[in-house]
Amino acid sequence: MTQKKLLLLDGNSLAYRAFFALPPLTNHQGIHTNAVYGFTTMLQKILAEEQPTHMLVAFDAGKTTFRHSTYTEYKGGRQKTPPELSEQFPYVRKLVSAYNMKQYELEMYEADDIIGTLAKQAEEADMQVVIISGDKDLTQLATDKTTVYITRKGMTDIEHYTPAHILEKYGLTPEQIIDMKGLMGDSSDNIPGVPGVGEKTAIKLLKEYPTVEEIYAHVSEVKGAKLQEKLVANEEQAKMSKQLATIEVNAPIEVVVDELGWEGPDVDALFALWQELDFKTLLEKSEYESEAQETTVLEHQIVSNLTAEQLVDGMAIHLEMENAHYHTSKALGLAFVTDTAAYYMPYEDVLQSEEVKAYLQDEAKKKYVFDLKKHQVAFARDQIELKGVEFDLLLAAYIDDPAFASEDIASVSRAYNYTNVQTEESIYGKGAKRAVPSEEVLAEHVCRQALAVYTTREPLLSKLKENEQYDLYTDIELPLAHILGKMETCGIRVNKETLADMGEELTEKLQAIEATIYTLAGTKFNINSPKQLGVVLFETLQLPVIKKTKTGYSTAADVLEKLAPEHEIIEHILQYRQLGKLQSTYIEGLMKEIHEDDHKIHTRYQQALTATGRLSSTDPNLQNIPIRLEEGRKIRKAFVPETEGWQLFAADYSQIELRVLAHMSQDENLMQAFLNGLDIHTNTAMNVFHVEEDEVTSSMRRAAKAVNFGIVYGISDYGLSQNLDISRKEAAEFIERYFASFPGVKTYMDDMVKMAKEKGYVTTLLNRRRYLPDLKSSNFNLRSFAERTAMNTPIQGSAADIIKKAMIDMDAALKEHQLQAKMLLQVHDELIFEAPEEEIAILEKLVPEVMANTVKLDVPLRADYSAGYTWYDAK
DNA sequence: AGTCTCACG
DNA sequence: ACGTACGTGAGACTG
């Protein structure tokens, strides 16, 4: 049998070290984690390298120790432990428990003494001992059987103190470390030593006389009158200091070495803790196998068909596809899982199976999925109409905490302590090596994912009910997923010819501008490279530098606009940028996304991504098609109805965010403005500038509009000053005057931040939550950001709630009125439909009415609308 | 992969 | 004093 090896850890010291060595980290709930993280990475490394058979982590107990009876000032004058660290100690303890390691503390003694005592016992039992600490005092315990590891910067860089190393480093024996400290003292423990004697002098003395006692026995022989004087004057103090620095190796501990056997961590507990603390990298890289994972080497069957009896009510299904682009991606196979059965069916067989197709389309047979919309769209490609989906893990998790946004079942289910799904990467590989694995591997992986859905369903649904978010789930997000799926599947027709023609025109213009720029610059360079452009503008042409970025000169549009009077080249660069953006992103980008077969673009809405509850749109993004500038707006001419003679119909909420603010803040003045149907920006201008309506100039209205935006974003004087290009003082004055006119808004903003700080999260109209851990941050920047977010999210998020509900009502209304009109796009406060011409008049009444009445606020909601043969014309 | 820039609400 | 407007996605460049 190989020799037994005991690892003794100084828990407090290591946690302290880690806390100061690592930048501040927090988990999604705002708990600081850097000390626990550093402790963990250090531990992982040590365990891998040392392969111990026995383990113990020692902690300090309480404030007073036996050393205080010798010297009451021991460890006096210490800075109070920062609260960011204190809150981590319980997690360090939990971590040690999860590793199945013994932890121990003893009244009146420090961790050092426990370690010293156990090290001595272990040596007597002929064990090898490794002591790990951040405190060099421990090195006095080094012997030929005991090595002391001291962490250096970054926690995983470790210095090994053997007697030989100590001799080399200090020229002393380990025992003499105590004497050294007796002489030089230790400011961190408030051990005085001999004033004026530092490390150098202490070592010099100890090389001549081996101990403090010997030094004093020969104190008259010590060279240097000053030094001798100092030594004599502080003899008692030196001896006491030595005593304080001596680690007790006979502490009355109640553990014995034999009880410290260690056989490895409780993997499930460890993973759960890592999950709680957001140690994602550790989770992904971990070589530990979850217990659950081993026991559920899922007894799955690969089948080519299933009977109606096997296709029961209440199954988790999971369709595996080659990649995330589910409009085009190849479907590989489908898993069907309950707590008692798991089947995997290759997708070709699904298409052949009447039983399975009937099951998928059976409303009465409830199914559970991860990403309803993906499944619905994918099945729809093969004319399978998925029905009866009762649970969507993705949406439920998103409602529970939008920070869980992810396309990955492994990470989402792990958030609910389900650690049984392997990562995408481990199945498919990454980068160029990505490949579909064998059917056996794939089948198990897909079944595991379905099982994750099945297993997390009940706890997650109860949690939503507990948090009063179940309605948001069943009445909004779940039905919305179905509607978005229909919109995506339908897609919008885009005329490639139109785009191509615009592209040619742009190419010509761009070439001309490019030539002009080169002439004006006197050199050829890549205009699209901010780096090269910076050199040309600020070095070659010597234009004044207004703003810098991390990496160099800023060449952003607002900077260039300020430089325009300085040099003719600027306007051409701005023009080039503008047209270049249209060309690359909108002409070339959109053309790539037009499907050959139906001449349509099918975007994907991300329904579980944004922190506020808004949707986002990808591949391509149809929520940022140009409109503000005429050149860009023309892109919209390419967006047309599917059918000849139909029209596009667009309806958008008017000032929805400010109306939401009026409702939530109950500010009298703001509410009155909307109740009286006033122009909101003019109204703000009247209030801020104290003028009558007919005295409001266009620049006053512009400033008021910026203030209104600022209010919605969580105002700051700096932000407003940047936006309006005015001084910070002037901006601050605007804000002050705004709040004087709208005091209810001020109160609301303050209350929002206050409530968020109490609860840790903010909520929207329909009870969507957003956690704001950074509100507790000691970092001014992070905290201010979180405070603005606390003001903005209820507004932006409630507006998102409202339009989501409107979409559901709109879908029902179209059905109810048996219209052919189809909802195609959503752009945050706007819905776009296509409809036969004869239905346009109906939509003009119906759509604004449904949008305005979808929720009842204390101010009216209003939607404006327009129709045309292209999206450009629907303005 | 990270940075910069710019399109939208 | 700190250094920002809120929420997104995509393309080009660069290391």
Side-chain angles (χ1 to χ4, degrees):
Chain A
M1 145 125 209
T2 50
Q3 200 191 8
K4 290 180 185 167
K5 187 191 265 187
L6 169 66
L7 255 59
L8 295 166
L9 276 73
D10 184 343
N12 289 71
S13 155
L14 290 168
Y16 259 91
R17 263 302 169 103
F19 179 76
F20 291 107
L22 270 62
L25 303 166
T26 51
N27 78 342
H28 61 281
Q29 289 166 341
I31 297 159
H32 289 83
T33 57
N34 60 338
V36 195
Y37 187 75
F39 195 98
T40 310
T41 51
M42 180 276 305
L43 197 50
Q44 286 286 100
K45 184 167 181 238
I46 293 281
L47 290 174
E49 285 172 1
E50 302 296 331
Q51 311 266 325
T53 56
H54 292 65
M55 294 276 328
L56 177 130
V57 183
F59 289 96
D60 297 339
K63 280 209 165 115
T64 45
T65 67
F66 70 89
R67 289 185 178 84
H68 288 87
S69 55
T70 310
Y71 181 52
T72 47
E73 297 303 303
Y74 180 65
K75 291 202 174 177
R78 266 205 176 184
Q79 288 265 315
K80 213 176 132 241
T81 308
E84 290 87 352
L85 174 57
S86 306
E87 71 183 23
Q88 297 187 54
F89 276 109
Y91 288 93
V92 174
R93 301 281 192 142
K94 276 194 208 173
L95 182 82
V96 174
S97 298
Y99 271 106
N100 276 332
M101 292 168 184
K102 181 86 179 170
Q103 46 189 300
Y104 190 68
E105 66 197 47
L106 183 62
E107 280 305 317
M108 300 303 287
Y109 289 85
E110 294 181 62
D112 297 9
D113 307 311
I114 299 168
I115 289 173
T117 307
L118 277 167
K120 197 175 135 201
Q121 288 183 8
E123 286 186 6
E124 280 162 10
D126 203 27
M127 290 168 84
Q128 201 187 335
V129 180
V130 174
I131 293 168
I132 303 145
S133 177
D135 184 349
K136 283 192 185 140
D137 290 3
L138 277 289
T139 54
Q140 65 184 265
L141 297 171
T143 68
D144 56 346
K145 285 180 187 159
T146 298
T147 310
V148 182
Y149 291 5
I150 302 296
T151 58
R152 290 192 290 208
K153 276 175 200 161
M155 285 309 280
T156 46
D157 182 9
I158 291 164
E159 191 170 5
H160 294 199
Y161 285 83
T162 56
H165 182 70
I166 294 168
L167 186 66
E168 193 186 324
K169 191 162 170 160
Y170 301 112
L172 304 176
T173 66
E175 296 78 27
Q176 286 179 298
I177 296 283
I178 311 170
D179 297 280
M180 178 170 92
K181 217 164 148 190
L183 292 168
M184 64 185 272
D186 181 339
S187 58
S188 74
D189 287 348
N190 204 29
I191 297 178
V194 178
V197 173
E199 187 176 306
K200 290 267 163 60
T201 317
I203 291 172
K204 205 177 82 195
L205 285 165
L206 289 169
K207 279 186 181 164
E208 277 183 60
Y209 317 99
T211 65
V212 168
E213 290 73 19
E214 282 295 303
I215 291 171
Y216 280 103
H218 302 90
V219 73
S220 56
E221 299 159 27
V222 169
K223 289 175 204 98
K226 273 262 170 69
L227 178 59
Q228 213 181 84
E229 203 177 299
K230 278 186 263 182
L231 285 169
V232 172
N234 294 289
E235 181 170 355
E236 278 311 302
Q237 198 164 297
K239 287 181 177 168
M240 178 195 76
S241 294
K242 177 177 174 179
Q243 201 186 333
L244 287 173
T246 307
I247 291 172
E248 173 63 59
V249 292
N250 289 303
I253 57 171
E254 290 150 349
V255 283
V256 291
V257 168
D258 287 345
E259 292 168 6
L260 304 181
W262 184 70
E263 284 165 354
D266 175 347
V267 176
D268 287 336
L270 191 61
F271 280 8
L273 184 66
W274 285 357
Q275 184 63 47
E276 186 184 347
L277 298 172
D278 290 346
F279 293 173
K280 298 197 174 109
T281 329
L282 285 172
L283 280 164
E284 272 156 34
K285 283 197 198 149
S286 173
E287 282 161 25
Y288 297 132
E289 292 249 326
S290 163
E291 289 273 323
Q293 205 153 327
E294 280 170 51
T295 50
T296 58
V297 168
L298 230 107
E299 286 192 25
H300 64 283
Q301 296 172 42
I302 299 176
V303 295
S304 55
N305 203 357
L306 290 167
T307 64
E309 288 72 41
Q310 288 168 311
L311 294 161
V312 295
D313 181 31
M315 267 193 158
I317 61 170
H318 183 73
L319 178 66
E320 185 77 357
M321 304 188 81
E322 262 188 15
N323 60 57
H325 297 62
Y326 52 69
H327 289 293
T328 49
S329 179
K330 186 180 172 200
L332 299 171
L334 183 60
F336 305 79
V337 170
T338 65
D339 47 357
T340 52
Y343 307 106
Y344 174 83
M345 195 185 286
Y347 194 68
E348 308 88 79
D349 295 323
V350 172
L351 293 180
Q352 297 302 315
S353 167
E354 291 312 316
E355 292 84 352
V356 168
K357 284 201 261 183
Y359 168 76
L360 293 171
Q361 305 192 78
D362 186 348
E363 176 75 51
K365 296 275 187 346
K366 295 304 173 200
K367 293 124 200 144
Y368 319 141
V369 301
F370 180 91
D371 197 348
L372 158 57
K373 180 159 61 67
K374 176 191 105 169
H375 283 79
Q376 180 189 311
V377 169
F379 286 130
R381 295 184 344 202
D382 295 303
Q383 286 72 51
I384 300 168
E385 205 182 320
L386 179 64
K387 283 187 192 156
V389 174
E390 183 248 24
F391 178 66
D392 182 340
L393 171 58
L394 175 63
L395 293 179
Y398 176 64
I399 292 172
D400 178 38
D401 185 346
F404 289 149
S406 169
E407 288 191 3
D408 179 1
I409 293 196
S411 46
V412 172
S413 60
R414 216 189 286 124
Y416 302 96
N417 285 341
Y418 189 85
T419 52
N420 212 352
V421 182
Q422 277 158 284
T423 57
E424 275 273 306
E425 202 180 302
S426 68
I427 298 293
Y428 288 92
K430 76 166 178 182
K433 286 190 203 144
R434 194 185 155 94
V436 176
S438 72
E439 187 168 74
E440 282 72 29
V441 172
L442 191 64
E444 178 159 346
H445 177 59
V446 182
C447 286
R448 278 175 192 279
Q449 293 182 82
L451 185 58
V453 173
Y454 191 92
T455 312
T456 50
R457 176 177 160 269
E458 275 188 8
L460 195 41
L461 289 180
S462 338
K463 191 170 175 200
L464 293 183
K465 284 174 192 165
E466 223 172 273
N467 291 346
E468 298 183 323
Q469 293 187 300
Y470 190 65
D471 291 348
L472 176 60
Y473 168 70
T474 54
D475 299 352
I476 304 289
E477 298 297 353
L478 210 51
L480 183 68
H482 175 71
I483 292 166
L484 290 172
K486 287 199 291 185
M487 290 162 60
E488 290 180 12
T489 297
C490 178
I492 185 164
R493 175 101 183 227
V494 178
N495 196 333
K496 206 169 194 167
E497 285 284 298
T498 310
L499 291 179
D501 291 348
M502 291 175 70
E504 278 178 36
E505 230 175 277
L506 279 174
T507 306
E508 277 178 34
K509 284 189 186 168
L510 281 166
Q511 279 169 354
I513 299 168
E514 194 181 81
T516 312
I517 291 172
Y518 293 156
T519 310
L520 288 169
T523 170
K524 281 197 177 189
F525 65 101
N526 186 343
I527 307 167
N528 282 322
S529 160
K531 200 179 166 189
Q532 293 181 36
L533 180 61
V535 171
V536 169
L537 294 182
F538 304 111
E539 290 173 20
T540 313
L541 298 178
Q542 289 288 306
L543 295 176
V545 178
I546 291 180
K547 200 163 77 181
K548 288 201 141 203
T549 65
K550 271 185 220 164
T551 50
Y553 311 111
S554 170
T555 66
D558 62 324
V559 172
L560 295 187
E561 272 157 28
K562 288 182 183 130
L563 292 174
E566 306 276 339
H567 202 288
E568 197 195 337
I569 197 171
I570 301 293
E571 56 177 295
H572 295 100
I573 289 166
L574 286 166
Q575 182 75 3
Y576 183 87
R577 281 256 181 90
Q578 192 200 327
L579 300 184
K581 175 85 176 175
L582 293 178
Q583 181 75 299
S584 65
T585 307
Y586 295 102
I587 303 291
E588 289 164 6
L590 285 177
M591 292 215 299
K592 272 185 241 160
E593 299 285 348
I594 300 173
H595 288 216
E596 288 290 335
D597 48 356
D598 60 3
H599 309 289
K600 283 176 165 187
I601 287 179
H602 301 266
T603 187
R604 280 180 300 129
Y605 289 103
Q606 304 296 331
Q607 197 186 346
L609 186 147
T610 71
T612 55
R614 275 191 177 182
L615 302 176
S616 85
S617 157
T618 58
D619 304 310
N621 181 354
L622 291 185
Q623 292 182 316
N624 71 345
I625 303 302
I627 189 165
R628 291 171 189 169
L629 299 171
E630 178 55 27
E631 292 97 317
R633 192 173 200 157
K634 290 201 166 73
I635 298 282
R636 296 181 173 225
K637 291 188 182 202
F639 288 76
V640 294
E642 168 178 35
T643 313
E644 185 78 16
W646 283 35
Q647 289 198 2
L648 290 179
F649 179 88
D652 68 297
Y653 276 113
S654 159
Q655 304 295 351
I656 188 166
E657 293 189 338
L658 285 172
R659 287 171 199 263
V660 165
L661 174 63
H663 170 82
M664 309 222 321
S665 70
Q666 291 285 308
D667 179 272
E668 273 306 316
N669 201 353
L670 194 56
M671 285 173 78
Q672 278 307 317
F674 284 118
L675 287 165
N676 297 331
L678 304 179
D679 176 310
I680 196 65
H681 301 316
T682 304
N683 180 261
T684 300
M686 288 161 63
N687 279 288
V688 170
F689 298 108
H690 305 297
V691 294
E692 293 303 314
E693 188 173 352
D694 55 3
E695 296 168 321
V696 174
T697 63
S698 63
S699 82
M700 284 157 92
R701 188 176 182 281
R702 194 177 71 86
K705 188 173 173 179
V707 173
N708 279 335
F709 270 100
I711 291 294
V712 168
Y713 293 157
I715 197 136
S716 75
D717 50 9
Y718 185 86
L720 184 64
S721 74
Q722 288 297 299
N723 192 290
L724 281 176
D725 204 7
I726 56 177
S727 79
R728 208 167 138 166
K729 213 175 142 208
E730 287 170 299
E733 207 170 303
F734 280 178
I735 295 167
E736 203 178 305
R737 290 209 232 156
Y738 180 93
F739 283 139
S741 302
F742 301 95
V745 174
K746 171 76 177 146
T747 314
Y748 164 81
M749 295 287 175
D750 294 345
D751 288 353
M752 270 300 141
V753 174
K754 196 171 145 232
M755 272 167 54
K757 280 189 177 159
E758 279 163 21
K759 291 186 184 167
Y761 59 87
V762 288
T763 56
T764 67
L765 204 64
L766 300 187
N767 243 354
R768 193 183 302 283
R769 279 188 187 189
R770 179 175 183 180
Y771 291 88
L772 295 171
D774 287 346
L775 284 173
K776 289 187 198 164
S777 173
S778 53
N779 178 320
F780 175 87
N781 248 336
L782 288 177
R783 195 175 61 247
S784 305
F785 192 8
E787 285 170 359
R788 290 198 295 275
T789 310
M791 300 183 229
N792 169 267
T793 296
I795 301 172
Q796 189 182 123
S798 298
D801 291 350
I802 292 170
I803 194 160
K804 281 179 169 178
K805 179 153 189 303
M807 292 171 77
I808 294 162
D809 293 347
M810 214 41 250
D811 184 69
L814 293 178
K815 214 171 281 168
E816 192 199 330
H817 291 78
Q818 302 188 335
L819 297 172
Q820 291 173 267
K822 282 186 236 166
M823 190 155 46
L824 301 181
L825 303 175
Q826 189 253 42
V827 191
H828 309 307
D829 65 352
E830 180 183 15
L831 296 174
I832 292 105
F833 303 81
E834 65 180 7
E837 244 156 331
E838 63 272 19
E839 288 185 8
I840 295 295
I842 304 170
L843 293 184
E844 285 176 345
K845 245 182 94 40
L846 182 65
V847 177
E849 192 180 297
V850 169
M851 286 172 74
N853 294 311
T854 193
V855 294
K856 179 89 191 79
L857 302 185
D858 296 333
V859 292
L861 283 176
R862 201 185 90 200
D864 300 323
Y865 57 87
S866 64
Y869 288 104
T870 73
W871 196 3
Y872 177 87
D873 299 302
K875 62 177 174 187

